Structure formats: structure tokens, C-alpha cells
């Protein structure tokens, strides 16, 4: 998730450039091999109400990333590989616990560096990272959810949760708020679907997230294991497992 209210990511061109800079196919394959699939939107293709339109807005294009940054005034005037504007460097501040991101964080940093970002990765535990988020000391935060329904989008993107409440983008948009609030309370399935489609498109059009990957989890069991199954979120259901003779 990208903080849309803090420089330099308060500029939509900068946020879009971050997405265009990342090769999701290569990242997913390199970090997770056959267990990783590239992601292009705020929710995964297996999530109810997933919208292909929102997922097709961006694909890896470092030239377009460079163009957007140039258009926003970020240039590498001294040839050191890092872009500057008005005496400031194009810095991404990423406080993070590497236990969650060690499979891909160097790749992500490398992609962003290739188009001129200076990524400051600050390694810390979960508690310290959370304190940095509460204080607003970040421009990028790594986050993932596992849910069968898009309902967490309200917690993550509604303005009622901005400024330390969980909506870490701090992005305020009346149409997004309305869609998420209606989807959270409406009992009509098609109306909810349309709300979530609208929300996905607003989120991606404003480049509030940098999608990277969806991970498949695999479990191996022997033929003697009986009753092994999964809940709706893909977690193993172990209560009725038995071993046959």
C-alpha cells in the first residue's frame, strides 16, 4: 500500500510509476516459483467480485514509469541513478519486518531503483513497524489479507480509517467511501458486486496499491489421511482428520 498523502507519493504519477516499474511475473516466479502468481489488482482473481478491468490498468513498463516521473518533475540531473526534484531525492521510506518480505524485498527494491527511486528499507519487528505507521513515518507498507470476500477493503481504504486507523494510504475520496460503505451493508449480491467493482477501479486508477503476487499454499498428505479439508479462506481444517489403517 502506498501513502497517497505523503511526499513524494502524494503525486499520482509517482504512484503509477511505482506500479509500472515492477515486473510482477518475474517477481512471483523468482520469489515463489510455481507457488506464486503475479497480481495486478487490489484483490486476487479468486476473490468474489474481482474485476478484470481494474486488473488490466497496468503492466510492467519501465519506460512508462520513467516518462511519468519525468512528467512529474523528477529527473536524475547528476547521473547517480536517483531522481531529484527541487533539491529532494525520490525516496521511498519502507519500514518493514523482513520475516514477511524476505522472499521478494530485494527484488522490489531493485525494480524501483532501476527507474530512479531511492528505497530506504528499514528492517524492524512488527511492533516497531506498526509504531512507524501510526506516526505516519512511511511511504510504503507491505500488507496482505486472506479472505473469501472483498469486505476488508472498507477497513483498508475507507477514509474513516485514515490517519492511523488502518487505511494506510490516507486517501480520501467520496465515491470510494460510498461504494465501500454500501457494499458493507447491502444485502443485494449484484449491488454489492457493482460496489466492489467501482471500489477496485478507484483504488487502481489512483494507484493506491502496488500489486505483486498471489501465493498458492500446498499441503502434502499420505493416502492414509482422511478428512483433511479447508475452510473458506484456504486454511486447513484439522478437527476431523484421522489416519486410516
Amino acid at each position: 500500500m502506498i501513502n497517497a498523502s505523503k511526499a513524494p507519493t502524494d503525486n499520482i504519477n509517482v504512484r503509477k510509476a511505482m506500479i509500472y516499474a515492477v515486473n510482477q511475473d518475474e517477481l512471483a516466479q523468482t520469489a515463489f516459483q510455481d507457488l506464486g502468481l503475479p497480481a495486478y489488482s487490489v484483490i486476487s482473481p479468486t476473490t468474489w467480485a474481482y474485476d478484470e478491468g481494474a486488473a488490466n490498468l497496468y503492466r510492467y513498463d519501465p519506460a512508462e514509469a520513467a516518462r511519468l516521473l519525468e512528467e512529474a518533475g523528477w529527473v536524475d540531473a547528476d547521473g547517480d541513478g536517483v531522481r531529484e526534484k527541487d533539491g529532494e531525492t525520490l525516496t521511498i521510506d519502507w519500514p518493514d519486518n523482513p520475516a514477511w518480505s524476505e522472499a521478494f524485498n530485494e527484488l522490489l527494491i531493485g525494480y524501483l531503483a532501476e527507474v530512479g527511486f531511492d528505497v530506504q528499507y528499514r528492517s524492524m519487528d512488527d511492533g516497531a513497524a506498526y509504531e512507524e505507521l501510526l506516526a505516519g513515518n512511511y511511504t510504503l507498507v507491505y500488507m496482505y489479507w486472506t479472505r473469501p470476500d472483498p469486505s476488508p477493503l472498507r477497513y483498508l481504504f475507507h477514509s474513516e480509517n485514515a490517519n492511523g486507523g488502518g487505511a494506510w494510504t490516507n486517501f480520501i475520496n467520496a465515491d470510494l467511501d460510498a461504494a465501500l460503505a454500501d457494499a458493507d451493508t447491502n444485502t443485494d449480491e449484484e449491488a454489492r458486486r457493482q460496489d466492489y467493482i467501482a471500489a477496485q477501479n478507484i483504488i487502481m486508477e489512483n494507484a493506491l496499491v502496488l500489486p505483486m503476487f498471489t501465493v498458492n499454499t500446498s499441503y502434502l498428505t499420505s493416502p492414509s489421511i482422511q478428512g483433511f479439508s479447508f475452510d473458506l479462506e484456504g486454511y486447513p481444517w484439522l478437527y476431523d482428520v484421522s489416519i486410516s489403517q
Side-chain angles (χ1 to χ4, degrees), residues 155-176:
Y155 173 73
L156 294 170
F157 294 98
H158 196 289
S159 64
E160 66 191 4
N161 298 317
N163 300 311
W168 304 115
T169 63
N170 293 317
F171 179 78
I172 298 175
N173 179 282
D175 291 334
L176 179 58

Side-chain angles (χ1 to χ4, degrees), residues 10 14 17 77 107 111 118 162 197 205 207 211 232-233:
D10 57 348
V14 172
L107 273 170
Y111 289 133
D118 173 29
I197 288 173
E205 287 167 0
L232 290 175
E233 295 179 355

Side-chain angles (χ1 to χ4, degrees), residues 79-243:
D80 66 350
V82 177
R83 295 177 181 269
E84 306 90 15
K85 179 180 178 180
D86 299 330
E88 300 292 329
T89 59
L90 185 58
T91 300
I92 298 299
D93 180 21
W94 182 10
D96 182 61
N97 183 344
W100 305 111
S101 66
E102 61 184 352
F104 64 85
N105 56 30
E106 290 185 5
L107 273 170
L108 179 58
I109 292 168
Y111 289 133
L112 294 173
E114 284 182 4
V115 299
F117 287 93
D118 173 29
V119 183
Q120 295 295 315
Y121 181 86
R122 295 191 285 134
S123 178
M124 57 190 70
D125 62 25
D126 286 341
Y130 186 65
E131 289 299 319
E132 291 296 275
L133 299 187
L134 290 176
N137 298 327
Y138 67 95
T139 44
L140 182 68
V141 53
Y142 171 56
M143 183 172 289
Y144 68 92
W145 287 69
T146 303
R147 296 290 187 276
D149 186 271
S151 55
L153 292 180
R154 178 168 184 172
Y155 173 73
L156 294 170
F157 294 98
H158 196 289
S159 64
E160 66 191 4
N161 298 317
N163 300 311
W168 304 115
T169 63
N170 293 317
F171 179 78
I172 298 175
N173 179 282
D175 291 334
L176 179 58
D177 283 353
L180 293 174
D182 187 66
D184 210 28
T185 57
N186 204 318
T187 57
D188 181 273
E189 184 174 279
E190 183 55 30
R192 289 189 75 225
R193 182 190 301 275
Q194 294 306 316
D195 283 334
Y196 282 128
I197 288 173
Q200 289 168 74
N201 279 275
I202 294 170
I203 290 166
M204 294 311 302
E205 287 167 0
N206 287 279
L208 303 181
V209 296
L210 197 173
M212 290 185 289
F213 55 84
T214 296
V215 174
N216 294 319
T217 302
S218 298
Y219 296 89
L220 299 177
T221 63
S222 72
S224 62
I225 301 298
Q226 305 296 313
F228 184 81
S229 61
F230 302 89
D231 65 16
L232 290 175
E233 295 179 355
Y235 292 104
W237 188 257
L238 304 175
Y239 293 98
D240 296 320
V241 174
S242 61
I243 301 176

